[in-house]
């Protein structure tokens, strides 16, 4: 366990952003909001800062980190962009898309960021607080989700504090995350989907003009979110449940179910469901307790439903 620190909650104001950037420049860790989930930021050029990210999360060292940058020009200084990568960046950056691309020689990133791979996962976030922090900091930020490794991802500052208080210097409170699912991760040459996420598969394939292959490799991940067990609450999950049984906490989708306390979206809206997923899992976990059970209604396997189901399957996987 890393040595405990006093975690500060910082407002997303000009002085607050300047304070957060100064902490990052000192090698400290700062959690900040993106449109997907809260990220745990550290200087991607510093071995010490990146090592602190792994220690704070309890994260396996073979699991690479996403590097956050303010724009395409900054990203191109770190990675080689093919024409397909440039097309995706032009269409979806800033936004919830991560690209895994060949690492440029002399990029200056800590080798801990890439976990020994010759590629790097990079993203340009859209959230105005993330953008302001990146520009104030003036460099690349390694930023996995700001939660203990394998646990439910944070979409509010309170979620970050619940899991990482005492392990990080500060949390910039930018309110709830709008997308609520981690970014979609795409590798190229050939194009393949490493992780479904906040950008629907259909939009990516339409931009590329062809289908994406699926290429998960939990034994040697190229990007975060590929481990078989991930995003896990303490309670056990039962998926594709048509109704709860005695003792289960119910998370519904669509029309409310009799006795159901929680729903991802009463109207069956997948965008709303994605934004609510991790908060609903946390609420259900608190109601169920560590030895309880959670039942989750079926989610359509289309659009953002693919990413929602991916997170649920990993959350329900044996640990």
């Amino acid at each position: 366990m890393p040595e405990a620190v006093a975690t500060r909650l910082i407002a997303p104001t000009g002085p607050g952003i300047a304070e957060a950037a100064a902490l990052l420049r000192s090698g400290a860790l700062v959690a900040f909001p993106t449109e997907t989930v809260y990220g745990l930021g550290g200087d991607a050029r510093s071995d010490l800062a990146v090592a602190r990210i792994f220690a704070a999360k309890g994260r396996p060292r073979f699991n690479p980190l996403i590097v956050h940058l303010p724009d395409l020009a900054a990203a191109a200084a770190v990675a080689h962009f093919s024409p397909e990568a440039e097309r995706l960046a032009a269409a979806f950056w800033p936004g919830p898309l991560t690209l895994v691309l060949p690492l440029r020689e002399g990029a200056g990133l800590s080798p801990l960021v890439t976990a020994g791979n010759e590629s790097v996962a990079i993203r340009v976030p859209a959230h105005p607080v993330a953008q302001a922090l990146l520009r104030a900091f003036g460099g690349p930020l390694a930023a996995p989700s700001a939660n203990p490794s394998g646990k439910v991802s944070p979409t509010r500052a309170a979620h970050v504090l619940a899991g990482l208080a005492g392990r990080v210097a500060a949390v910039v409170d930018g309110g709830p995350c709008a997308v609520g699912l981690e970014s979609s991760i795409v590798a190229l040459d050939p194009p393949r989907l490493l992780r479904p996420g906040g950008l629907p598969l259909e939009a990516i394939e339409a931009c590329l003009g062809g289908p994406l292959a699926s290429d998960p490799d939990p034994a040697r991940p190229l990007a975060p979110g590929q481990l078989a067990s991930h995003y896990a609450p303490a309670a056990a999950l039962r998926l594709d449940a048509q109704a709860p049984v005695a003792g289960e906490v119910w998370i519904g989708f669509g029309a409310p179910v009799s006795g159901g306390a929680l729903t991802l979206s009463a109207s069956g809206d997948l965008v709303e469901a994605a934004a609510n997923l991790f908060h609903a899992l946390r609420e259900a976990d608190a109601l169920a307790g560590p030895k309880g059970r959670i039942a989750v209604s079926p989610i359509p396997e289309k659009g953002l439903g693919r990413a929602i189901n991916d997170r649920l399957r990993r959350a329900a996987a044996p640990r």
Side-chain angles (χ1 to χ4, degrees):
M1 286 288 295
E3 184 178 347
V5 298
T7 301
R8 300 204 287 277
L9 192 64
I10 294 178
T13 60
I17 294 296
E19 179 186 359
L23 286 168
L24 289 165
R25 283 192 289 271
S26 76
L29 304 184
V30 174
F32 62 94
T34 76
E35 67 277 18
T36 57
V37 300
Y38 274 72
L40 179 56
D43 187 345
R45 302 161 297 190
S46 166
D47 290 339
L48 178 58
V50 177
R52 284 172 172 163
I53 291 175
F54 284 100
K57 285 179 61 72
R59 183 185 179 96
R61 291 290 178 93
F62 63 82
N63 200 0
L65 305 178
I66 294 175
V67 175
H68 291 63
L69 295 153
D71 51 41
L72 177 57
V78 169
H80 293 281
F81 278 72
S82 66
E84 288 176 314
E86 289 179 349
R87 191 183 321 155
L88 288 171
F92 301 119
W93 278 358
L97 173 68
T98 292
L99 297 175
V100 176
L101 301 172
L103 180 67
R104 279 194 183 276
E105 186 176 352
L109 300 181
S110 166
L112 294 173
V113 168
T114 61
N117 295 316
E118 295 180 357
S119 57
V120 60
I122 53 179
R123 181 162 94 88
V124 175
H127 197 292
V129 174
Q131 278 286 327
L133 182 58
L134 284 163
R135 295 183 186 281
F137 174 64
L141 287 179
S145 57
N147 57 286
S149 185
K151 301 302 182 182
V152 181
S153 298
T155 56
R156 305 181 184 192
H159 298 166
V160 180
L161 292 172
L164 296 180
R167 302 191 197 183
V168 303
V171 180
V172 182
D173 187 355
C177 300
V179 174
L181 287 173
E182 294 87 354
S183 59
S184 302
I185 303 182
V186 173
L188 297 165
D189 303 322
R192 55 202 190 276
L193 184 68
L194 301 184
R195 180 181 75 184
L199 183 65
L201 173 66
E202 294 88 342
I204 301 170
E205 291 181 335
C207 180
L208 290 174
L212 285 174
S214 180
D215 185 36
D217 184 6
R220 181 64 172 171
L222 294 175
Q226 292 184 271
L227 299 180
S229 178
H230 207 48
Y231 318 106
L237 262 68
R238 183 168 67 92
L239 305 184
D240 298 319
Q242 298 298 327
V245 299
E248 288 183 327
V249 176
W250 175 256
I251 300 178
F253 176 79
V257 174
S258 176
L262 302 171
T263 181
L264 296 178
S265 172
S267 65
D269 185 318
L270 288 171
V271 174
E272 181 183 23
N276 289 335
L277 175 64
F278 289 135
H279 188 64
L281 282 175
R282 287 172 179 272
E283 286 190 299
D285 203 28
L287 291 169
K291 296 184 178 180
R293 294 185 61 85
I294 301 168
V296 185
S297 178
I299 308 296
E301 191 72 20
K302 64 180 182 179
L304 289 179
R306 290 190 180 90
I308 294 170
N309 284 321
D310 171 80
R311 303 307 189 273
L312 289 171
R313 284 190 289 266
R314 294 177 194 273
R319 303 162 196 176

